[in-house]
Amino acid sequence: MSQQANQHGQLRERVQQHLDAIYHENPLDADLDGLADQLLELMVLGADMVPPMQHINHWDQRDAIVITYGDSVLREGERPLQTLKSFLDAYTGDELNGVHILPFYPWSSDDGFAVLDYSSVNEALGNWGDIEALGDSYQLMADLVINHCSGRSLWFDNFLKGVSPGAGYFYTASPEDDLSQVVRPRTSSLLREVQTSEGIQYVWCTFSHDQVDLDFRNPEVLKQFVSILRLYMDRGVRIFRLDAVAFLWKIPGTNCLNLEETHEIVRLMRTLVEHVREDAMLITETNIPIRENLSYFGNANEAHCVYNFSLPPLLVNTLITGDCTYLKNWLMSMPPAQNGTTYFNFIASHDGIGLRPAEGLLSQEELDVLIATMQQFGGHISYRALEDGERKPYEINIALFDALQGTTSGPDHLGIERFVCAHAIMLALEGIPGIYIDSLVGTRNDHERVENSGHYRAINRHQWDFETLAALLANHDSSHNQVFQRIKALLSIRRRQAAFHPNATQFTLHLGIGLFGFWRQSLDRRQSIFCISNITAQPQQLPLESVNLVDTVNWSDLIGGDSFVARQQGIELQPYQSVWICNAPDYPGSA
């Protein structure tokens, strides 16, 4: 047997092991014969495929991703995806080498997350050529909206009629089933009654009645999504965001969250995409408590990245209270990611500031103060339903710029400094940073969009006119210009430092409650950076001896440029000032 044939046989065996684990009970009594070969055929994985190396980091400190809708920037007479590329080309340079385009498919609700057709591009945005053009210039990240699709899709229409494709694609349950433990992020009823060719059925709707959950117990659904993965990869997508993946597999009588079959499907997808393209990446979007979120790393055999969902609420809490205790405790508890995995750090997104990831990390009193302060700053609160029918705050809907306009004492004049400080902390942390486009340009709450749409999340989904935004970014007196230039400057510094590699060593510093700091060290141990921020509205003293600077080395602040030659020196950090104190500036690391 040739080596290639042997490798293909090993891959087939591995895929079969995944399938055996997923369908070990085969609740639908589906025909599973030949399924492994069908998946390999759908992924176009023949005998010439090259197996990937394991535990390899396909990223470094130069990687940073801008998160955006396809129509976040508009110009009259031009397809929005073309306008987006023009904006990125003109303004982001080398500082942001990746772009996450939020759902660019035809959709019926939830700003793209109720997908009508996974195989086409929304004509209002552009076409596949526009997507490929972005993929040619940037590392392209796309959503695989895998848990559900639109209740107005062809698949769902066919489900009602009992014809393919669609028949058997959606999860049904009975109102008599034990659904008391099911965890959901919404307050709407879980089951939706529908008339089908086989009579009344009740379809499962985790999010809304227009977002009907797919039934992965049916292998035909799995085959569809494997085909979609391959289609997107052929169109230039390298990074996949697995949307709402934690809810994928359902078993009545359980909480239907993070079930083992869900984890195995992620493992299967990683196996498949890595054999198509070694540097392909899966990022799991699991807005859940931290321990459950981290479980999606598996043993470096599931997600390449997990969203660091606890960071936004903890960092905002830190900056409005002037107390880093909770943030520091969390950072100390975070395990270093194995090679082949890393964190995806963000502090703002198209959604709100999730509160479930703060459970067990912030006290109820802290959460109450955080929620009240965000409401004072113009934010809204979205709720989820509990078992007893009560509602519990699920997320805060607010633009990050407005969330950081002040402290628990109210708005003040330090909003820009506080906002930049948040990004200085996020950009220095272990992991790959993602920056939401509205944060990049300092967008404020869009109350008009909330009123017009009727949805709280629209508050942070502003659409910019290209020329208007360009004028603001050119005006040195505008907050948009000041935020944009300072974040870009931090990104430019970051990408030149080996100690900011997403997997470089990280240790938490103990500097009291008003100074938040951590130490990063390059993988080859030649570069160290002490990242320290004053997270209060008052000046704070930093004695350099508290961070163990080596006396035989000259140290300098990468942000401000100051040099330090003695441990006996002290620094007075101004409100929300950050320093990155480094021994070897612009050290790119060993090849």
Side-chain angles (χ1 to χ4, degrees), residues 117-369:
D117 177 11
Y118 290 88
S119 63
S120 62
V121 176
N122 185 348
E123 292 182 356
L125 299 178
N127 54 41
W128 279 118
D130 299 323
I131 295 294
E132 291 171 350
L134 282 157
D136 288 340
S137 299
Y138 302 93
Q139 297 183 49
L140 184 58
M141 178 172 167
D143 287 274
L144 192 67
V145 183
I146 193 172
N147 178 69
H148 51 262
C149 76
S150 171
R152 284 174 270 180
S153 64
L154 174 63
W155 284 357
F156 192 68
D157 189 49
N158 285 346
F159 166 82
L160 298 177
K161 297 175 181 175
V163 299
S164 296
Y169 277 23
F170 296 90
Y171 196 95
T172 61
S174 167
E176 305 304 316
D177 290 338
D178 178 10
L179 306 178
S180 61
Q181 298 181 55
V182 175
V183 173
R184 298 180 58 227
R186 299 291 185 272
T187 56
S188 57
S189 57
L190 174 62
L191 300 182
R192 170 189 168 191
E193 180 181 318
V194 294
Q195 179 69 50
T196 76
S197 61
E198 299 179 1
I200 296 291
Q201 295 195 56
Y202 296 88
V203 292
W204 191 290
C205 301
T206 297
F207 290 89
S208 77
H209 284 188
D210 188 42
Q211 293 166 290
V212 189
D213 286 38
L214 293 150
D215 190 351
F216 274 83
R217 298 175 303 172
N218 181 350
E220 293 301 315
V221 174
L222 177 64
K223 287 162 62 176
Q224 286 282 7
F225 276 89
V226 168
S227 297
I228 293 165
L229 279 170
R230 180 67 206 209
L231 169 65
Y232 293 176
M233 295 182 84
D234 287 341
R235 296 297 190 176
V237 176
R238 178 194 161 209
I239 307 169
F240 295 92
R241 175 186 182 270
L242 303 185
D243 176 65
V245 69
F247 303 96
L248 200 64
W249 198 271
K250 288 89 173 165
I251 300 178
T254 74
N255 64 7
C256 300
L257 189 67
N258 309 313
L259 298 185
E260 181 54 33
E261 291 86 351
T262 295
H263 284 281
E264 196 65 45
I265 290 172
V266 177
R267 294 180 196 121
L268 169 63
M269 289 186 167
R270 175 163 179 161
T271 295
L272 292 173
V273 299
E274 283 188 333
H275 278 80
V276 173
R277 179 173 175 171
E278 186 177 24
D279 63 350
M281 293 170 56
L282 301 181
I283 302 183
T284 47
E285 188 267 330
T286 48
N287 191 357
I288 51 181
I290 180 172
R291 183 179 295 274
E292 299 164 44
N293 188 30
L294 292 176
S295 71
Y296 282 88
F297 276 143
N299 186 24
N301 62 349
E302 291 190 41
H304 297 84
C305 297
V306 297
Y307 272 77
N308 223 339
F309 273 109
S310 297
L311 179 60
L314 291 177
L315 186 50
V316 171
N317 167 265
T318 294
L319 291 167
I320 66 168
T321 63
D323 184 342
C324 69
T325 301
Y326 293 97
L327 182 64
K328 183 170 66 175
N329 290 342
W330 164 77
L331 193 66
M332 290 170 60
S333 71
M334 292 293 285
Q338 295 185 53
N339 284 329
T341 67
T342 193
Y343 295 102
F344 186 73
N345 295 324
F346 73 107
I347 46 178
S349 73
H350 63 290
D351 290 337
I353 299 171
L355 295 176
R356 286 215 72 207
E359 291 177 10
L361 301 174
L362 289 178
S363 67
Q364 188 59 52
E365 181 181 358
E366 290 287 331
L367 284 170
D368 291 342
V369 170

Side-chain angles (χ1 to χ4, degrees), residues 406-428:
T407 68
T408 54
S409 298
D412 58 27
H413 65 286
L414 294 169
I416 291 178
E417 299 304 321
R418 195 177 291 109
F419 187 78
V420 172
C421 176
H423 286 84
I425 291 172
M426 187 265 285
L427 290 174

